[in-house]
Amino acid sequence: MSPIDLLVNSTIRPDVRAVASYHVADASGFIKLDAMENPYHLPHHLREDLAQRLADVALNRYPAAAYSTIKQRIIDKLGVPAGYDVILGNGSDELISILCMACAMQDRRATVVAPTPSFVMYQRSAQFAGMDYVGVPLKADLTLDLPAMLDAIAKHKPALVFLSYPNNPTGNLFTEEDIVAIIKALDGFGLAVVDEAYEPFAQQTFMNRLPEFPNLVVMRTVSKLGLAGIRLGYMSAAPQLLAEFDKVRPPYNINVLTQVAAEFALDHVEVLNQQAAALRAARADLTAALAVMPGVEVFPSAANFILIRVPDSDASHAKLLSHKVLIKNVSKMHSVLANCLRITVSTPEENSTFLDAFAASQAA
């Protein structure tokens, strides 16, 4: 064994060495339908205004530590209840990490529970924080197995339960009644984290129910709204909880360019909302087009992507790549996703290109 291998083995945790890095596919030259991004740019005149604002940013200074201006815009524009504040993160990934670090006990192994398959960072953040992770499989139709979730909560007394609403990668909304049942089952010992990353497309939220449930945390991101490049997430909860989470948040975790860009975008949030409405309409059209294709099963989606099942996902994915169309092959994530592909809803032009390439791949 080489000296560097000995060094790695003696300093890096075995469970870290055993996992692969989070992989992001190179999309150069492809129609990119693999990452649930908004395909639309801001209008030209807004981009010019934004460029001027960014040019005036004091890059030589640290960001404002409290982020009061951007937080107030989020509260005013995005439906945070009166009397509630938000914490900002470098994307929702950092918020998930903050929650896990704040809830990981030193005197015992705390547990995270989540439906599976779901967003991979729930498990990764739990692992890296030193928590146990319990994944509760979805039913065969990809709906939530509530009895199994309640059994896991009763058995493991988790500190955190993550609920993606709608779920990624399946796209479906778990029922409001099931989520309320989970929140109530955690009362007194655990937090229910409702991750509303796709709220602009689902138009369903638990944000307004924060005052009703002291153990509820609602987390969102502006990535899916059309600002994936600036990496900004936010979460709200009871003020006493937020005060504790804020102790874990790194100082200056939101850079000045992100702060100014987000403030500007939220001043023009109606443009982003119009783009979300266009994508919801395109989702319906794309769903209908896929549903009539032989051998294709289309699952209901409340997000900006659609999950489908095909006879051979590996072959379909490879043929789409040959047509320079990049989607996500999720078939290896979990057994309930066998032969499943996830397609981001895009512009009418890109959706049409995908449909043509996909039809050709199924006919071949």
Side-chain angles (χ1 to χ4, degrees):
M1 186 177 291
S2 70
I4 188 62
D5 289 333
L6 287 171
L7 180 63
V8 168
N9 287 346
S10 64
T11 57
I12 306 300
R13 286 165 34 185
D15 63 314
V16 173
R17 300 200 310 267
V19 299
S21 299
Y22 190 97
H23 175 68
V24 178
D26 182 7
S28 303
F30 286 82
I31 293 177
K32 194 173 189 300
L33 305 178
D34 68 325
M36 295 84 74
E37 296 151 322
N38 178 343
Y40 296 107
H41 293 288
L42 289 173
H44 184 73
H45 70 282
L46 291 182
R47 280 183 277 165
E48 289 185 337
D49 292 346
L50 175 59
Q52 184 57 57
R53 288 213 200 174
L54 293 174
D56 293 336
V57 170
L59 296 177
N60 57 317
R61 302 294 184 187
Y62 284 111
Y67 310 118
S68 56
T69 55
I70 179 58
K71 286 166 67 175
Q72 193 58 51
R73 276 180 173 80
I74 289 172
I75 291 167
D76 292 342
K77 303 275 190 177
L78 299 178
V80 179
Y84 281 71
D85 201 354
V86 295
I87 284 181
L88 307 183
N90 182 14
S92 60
D93 297 345
E94 186 178 41
L95 296 177
I96 296 166
S97 178
I98 286 172
L99 288 166
C100 291
M101 285 191 291
C103 295
M105 300 296 180
Q106 293 184 319
D107 60 338
R108 58 182 172 83
R109 292 279 290 190
T111 300
V112 168
V113 167
T116 186
S118 194
F119 185 37
V120 67
M121 292 309 296
Y122 303 150
Q123 181 171 4
R124 283 198 166 224
S125 294
Q127 173 190 343
F128 296 153
M131 305 176 81
D132 291 329
Y133 177 84
V134 176
V136 179
L138 298 176
K139 295 180 182 179
D141 64 358
L142 306 184
T143 59
L144 189 70
D145 189 339
L146 181 62
M149 287 290 296
L150 296 178
D151 285 347
I153 290 169
K155 178 180 179 180
H156 298 284
K157 293 290 190 286
L160 295 167
V161 171
F162 285 101
L163 297 161
S164 184
Y165 186 72
N167 189 45
N168 172 24
T170 58
N172 55 319
L173 274 172
F174 303 140
T175 70
E176 183 178 346
E177 294 78 14
D178 284 357
I179 291 180
V180 169
I182 290 169
I183 296 171
K184 290 180 176 179
L186 290 162
D187 187 34
F189 64 85
L191 305 178
V193 184
V194 177
D195 183 352
E196 298 186 347
Y198 303 94
E199 182 272 337
F201 311 100
Q203 298 191 295
Q204 300 286 331
T205 182
F206 272 80
M207 184 72 81
N208 60 338
R209 303 189 71 173
L210 283 171
E212 185 180 348
F213 301 112
N215 65 331
L216 173 62
V217 179
V218 176
M219 181 174 65
R220 291 179 183 167
T221 175
V222 300
S223 293
K224 314 309 176 187
L225 191 58
L227 303 170
I230 67 173
R231 307 301 298 132
L232 180 68
Y234 63 99
M235 67 179 174
S236 189
Q240 296 91 332
L241 285 173
L242 279 193
E244 300 304 320
F245 299 148
D246 200 44
K247 297 174 185 177
V248 182
R249 177 183 61 83
Y252 310 121
N253 64 323
I254 307 301
N255 70 73
V256 290
L257 296 175
T258 288
Q259 182 171 345
V260 170
E263 289 173 3
F264 178 85
L266 290 176
D267 284 343
H268 303 280
V269 71
E270 69 282 354
V271 174
L272 300 177
N273 288 335
Q274 289 166 6
Q275 293 175 353
L279 290 171
R280 291 195 300 270
R283 179 183 66 200
D285 293 340
L286 187 57
T287 297
L290 288 166
V292 298
M293 292 188 176
V296 178
E297 180 182 5
V298 183
F299 293 94
S301 176
N304 65 335
F305 61 85
I306 297 170
L307 185 78
I308 63 173
R309 177 170 282 124
V310 295
D312 187 337
S313 59
D314 291 342
S316 294
H317 184 254
K319 289 170 184 174
L320 284 167
L321 288 177
S322 72
H323 288 274
K324 309 304 283 186
V325 176
L326 181 61
I327 64 168
K328 185 75 170 179
N329 185 355
V330 297
S331 61
K332 304 299 190 297
M333 283 184 64
H334 193 278
S335 58
V336 300
L337 296 178
N339 283 316
C340 283
L341 302 169
R342 189 190 66 197
I343 306 107
T344 302
V345 179
S346 189
T347 63
E349 294 78 16
E350 290 193 344
N351 292 340
S352 178
T353 299
F354 158 73
L355 286 169
D356 289 345
F358 182 68
S361 74
Q362 299 304 292

